[in-house]
Amino acid sequence: ALQSAASTSTSTSSSTSTSGGSGALDHLRYAVFGLGNSRSHSQHYNVIGRKMDAYLEELGGERLYERGEGDDAGCLDSDFEEWSEKLQAALKERVDVAKKPSSSPASTTANTQQVAPLFGVSDTPAVNGAVLSTSAATIPTQQRSFYSDNTHKVQVVSKKEVLAGERPVFEVLFDVSNMGEEGRYTTGDHVCIYAQNSDETVARMCETANIDPALSLHIGSGEVKDSMQYLRGGLSIGEVVKNYVDINGIPSTRLLRTFAECAQSGGEKETLAGWAASREAYSAEVKTPSRSTLQILERFPSISLHIDTILNAFPRLQPRFYSISSSAKASPSTVGVTLRPLIYTNGDGAVKHGVASNWISNLNEGDWAALSVRESIFHLPSAHDTPIVMVGAGTGVAPFLAFLRERMAVMQVDGVSKMGDATLIMGYRNSGEVVGRECVQNAMRMGALSQHIYAYSDVASSSTARPVFPSDSIKANRDAIVSTLDNGGKVYICGGAQGFGTSVIDAMKDILLHTPYTYDTLLDQQVILEDLAD
């Protein structure tokens, strides 16, 4: 991701092209702030921001202020706020324009509290009009501002539990036939799904804010920002919080300052302000223990929130991205996701539930969801005889199930009798947690998969009497993987970025020593493709 600020002189033509080489953007004044994570994506850390900064300068742009870099491994919000304050000072110095009070991040809440609130609560009967709460097959024009441009409302055509037990896994299929061209996908693409907060967390949030969820939202006579047009007067407060407000994420330092200003207790105000002001305190008290916005509000009961503050200061509930586990050739009108509901215990000992994974897992046939298809580069080779190696862990098998289904469909539908060798290396806790076993077996029987290697981290399931991880399997199969590369093949890696991703990348770099290849070069050439996220 990249955030940037840029301004052009009044003489700049709107038709200026960035493809004109040096001097093409000599009227542009710019500043770049890049985003990255030095822990989970160290090899790509802030690479987009750095390249963009250099490219704009190469094309003749004037850098207003040095590039900023946000590190999500630390405190990204603090990184941005420190940089933005310095940028604003540089802008003030250059253009000699006094900074408006509202431009300071620290003043956001104060302005929200002092200006007459635009959003309020009414005791008039509420209406059921949030997109995911109605049976309407389309997203109303007014509410489209909450969703990306190519988002459509679709129905669940099937849901099945593909792995039972304490850590179940579900496969959910969505009918995308009504999406037209925007529902077309290539096997290996992603799907972006909008979820809802659970009824339990919504009730807790409304109780904490002392707002009756059954009452309706009132919108005053002021102007509603274009980005908030999805908010409609008459919607119940419960529906608004359920569909649009992020209450389960880790609060930013800016939001903590909002809470400090709204706290009625001097001690709570001081504590919250201290956490917001110190990187160390924020990391120790909020980010590392993974305390959610709702947990902070419950821990500091003197925080008094108006619905206007909630809607303006809280972040919007964001969609989640999932690898598509279905095959475009085998099932072009349906998009499938294979996922495990995220349930974990945070630093406070509180059990937390992932918003989207649990919401999707609770969907049933006929239920509605809002989603869009997102193109990726994580695609199979166009030549069917190209050898491939797939490395994953847990539900990171999802795109590989799609690959196997696609390869089987190519053999069945297109009559291709011989496919390139395909090796699947997957890591699981134990043999009871293998996902997609039937699909793998079918692919082996048809010749769409050459071999599968399972690495079990539980000693009881390991044949070596010690934990085995995908990184170990990579090293053990070094010659076969290098041979795949020698024969023009590709390597695909899918799973968590920090633990799994780091170890697999290190193992790949290790086996490539004393070969003509380097990991970073193969990555740039899209010979190695990563789909890593946490």
Side-chain angles (χ1 to χ4, degrees):
L2 175 74
Q3 294 192 21
S4 63
S7 61
T8 58
S9 66
T10 55
S11 61
T12 302
S13 169
S14 61
S15 62
T16 298
S17 171
T18 60
S19 62
S22 179
L25 296 180
D26 56 3
H27 296 293
L28 180 76
R29 294 173 291 171
Y30 73 92
V32 172
F33 184 86
L35 306 180
N37 189 309
S38 62
R39 184 184 302 121
S40 60
H41 295 88
S42 58
Q43 71 274 30
H44 304 306
Y45 177 66
N46 260 290
V47 65
I48 300 299
R50 294 171 184 177
K51 287 185 176 181
M52 177 64 75
D53 189 33
Y55 187 54
L56 292 175
E57 182 181 40
E58 178 185 336
L59 293 178
E62 177 191 357
R63 185 181 293 107
L64 287 170
Y65 188 68
E66 64 186 32
R67 181 186 66 255
E69 294 188 347
D71 189 356
D72 199 35
C75 183
L76 190 147
D77 289 294
S78 294
D79 293 337
F80 179 71
E81 290 180 11
E82 289 178 9
W83 177 82
S84 66
E85 288 176 3
K86 294 175 182 177
L87 171 64
Q88 291 174 47
L91 289 173
K92 179 179 178 182
E93 181 179 345
R94 282 175 174 262
V95 300
D96 196 28
V97 175
K99 184 170 61 175
K100 298 180 180 179
S102 60
S103 65
S104 170
S107 67
T108 302
T109 306
N111 292 333
T112 301
Q113 300 298 323
Q114 293 170 3
V115 177
L118 175 61
F119 301 107
V121 176
S122 170
D123 58 3
T124 57
V127 296
N128 185 19
V131 168
L132 297 180
S133 302
T134 66
S135 59
T138 59
I139 299 174
T141 302
Q142 181 183 354
Q143 294 177 272
R144 289 211 63 89
S145 62
F146 183 75
Y147 302 94
S148 60
D149 290 341
N150 60 339
T151 300
H152 291 256
K153 198 170 177 184
V154 301
Q155 275 188 299
V156 175
V157 292
S158 75
K159 183 189 82 171
K160 61 180 179 180
E161 188 178 51
V162 295
L163 185 68
E166 294 182 0
R167 287 159 40 86
V169 175
F170 297 90
E171 181 182 71
V172 183
L173 297 179
F174 300 94
D175 179 4
V176 295
S177 59
N178 70 327
M179 293 176 63
E181 288 296 320
E182 293 179 339
R184 294 185 181 276
Y185 67 98
T186 300
T187 301
D189 281 347
H190 298 138
V191 63
C192 171
I193 301 178
Y194 292 81
Q196 293 177 323
N197 291 309
S198 69
D199 291 337
E200 183 261 339
T201 54
V202 171
R204 286 168 55 196
M205 176 65 202
C206 290
E207 180 180 1
T208 300
N210 196 28
I211 301 175
D212 185 347
L215 297 180
S216 61
L217 177 69
H218 171 74
I219 300 179
S221 58
E223 182 176 353
V224 179
K225 293 184 294 186
D226 289 343
S227 61
M228 300 180 74
Q229 288 293 328
Y230 56 87
L231 294 171
R232 298 169 52 197
L235 284 176
S236 73
I237 298 300
E239 285 295 294
V240 170
V241 174
K242 184 175 185 176
N243 286 272
Y244 304 129
V245 183
D246 184 354
I247 58 177
N248 290 284
I250 298 174
S252 65
T253 54
R254 185 178 303 186
L255 188 53
L256 288 181
R257 282 199 297 270
T258 297
F259 292 164
E261 294 177 7
C262 294
Q264 306 303 302
S265 161
E268 292 188 359
K269 184 185 295 288
E270 182 179 354
T271 298
L272 290 163
W275 290 359
S278 165
R279 285 174 178 264
E280 293 75 17
Y282 175 78
S283 178
E285 300 292 343
V286 182
K287 185 163 186 177
T288 299
S290 188
R291 289 180 173 137
S292 69
T293 295
L294 180 55
Q295 285 181 300
I296 295 293
L297 291 174
E298 291 176 332
R299 179 169 175 174
F300 297 90
S302 80
I303 298 173
S304 178
L305 294 176
H306 189 278
I307 187 62
D308 191 80
T309 303
I310 293 173
L311 296 180
N312 280 290
F314 282 45
R316 297 197 322 184
L317 187 59
Q318 295 296 313
R320 270 51 167 193
F321 290 83
Y322 293 91
S323 297
I324 295 175
S325 59
S326 56
S327 158
K329 179 174 284 292
S331 52
S333 62
T334 58
V335 161
V337 295
T338 300
L339 74 166
R340 171 179 285 118
L342 176 62
I343 303 175
Y344 66 99
T345 303
N346 76 347
D348 287 335
V351 176
K352 297 184 68 176
H353 294 74
V355 175
S357 62
N358 282 273
W359 181 79
I360 296 170
S361 299
N362 285 320
L363 291 173
N364 292 299
E365 183 177 343
D367 287 342
W368 294 91
L371 62 77
S372 62
V373 172
R374 295 299 178 92
E375 183 180 1
S376 78
I377 61 170
F378 206 76
H379 296 156
L380 284 166
S382 55
H384 301 315
D385 59 352
T386 303
I388 63 173
V389 175
M390 301 166 281
V391 185
T395 52
V397 75
F400 302 144
L401 296 179
F403 283 3
L404 297 181
R405 288 162 176 155
E406 182 80 3
R407 287 166 66 92
M408 286 189 285
V410 166
M411 299 179 76
Q412 292 175 322
V413 177
D414 297 343
V416 176
S417 59
K418 176 65 176 174
M419 303 290 287
D421 287 344
T423 298
L424 175 66
I425 300 174
M426 284 299 304
Y428 296 104
R429 290 186 181 183
N430 53 63
S431 58
E433 292 205 349
V434 173
V435 179
R437 194 186 299 271
E438 182 181 354
C439 177
V440 169
Q441 292 173 344
N442 289 338
M444 288 288 295
R445 185 171 57 253
M446 287 187 60
L449 179 65
S450 308
Q451 67 170 333
H452 63 277
I453 301 167
Y454 292 148
Y456 300 125
S457 58
D458 284 355
V459 175
S461 295
S462 173
S463 60
T464 62
R466 66 174 180 82
V468 179
F469 301 96
S471 55
D472 299 314
S473 298
I474 287 172
K475 294 175 183 178
N477 291 273
R478 174 194 179 279
D479 292 345
I481 295 173
V482 173
S483 176
T484 296
L485 297 173
D486 289 340
N487 288 286
K490 291 180 178 289
V491 177
Y492 300 85
I493 303 171
C494 182
Q498 295 192 31
F500 163 82
T502 300
S503 64
V504 165
I505 291 170
D506 288 343
M508 286 294 300
K509 289 180 177 180
D510 185 53
I511 70 169
L512 293 176
L513 292 174
H514 312 300
T515 73
Y517 312 109
T518 66
Y519 189 89
D520 291 341
T521 299
L522 294 176
L523 198 64
D524 289 341
Q525 295 172 342
Q526 295 183 13
V527 173
I528 294 177
L529 295 104
E530 299 176 349
D531 189 352
L532 301 172
D534 282 319

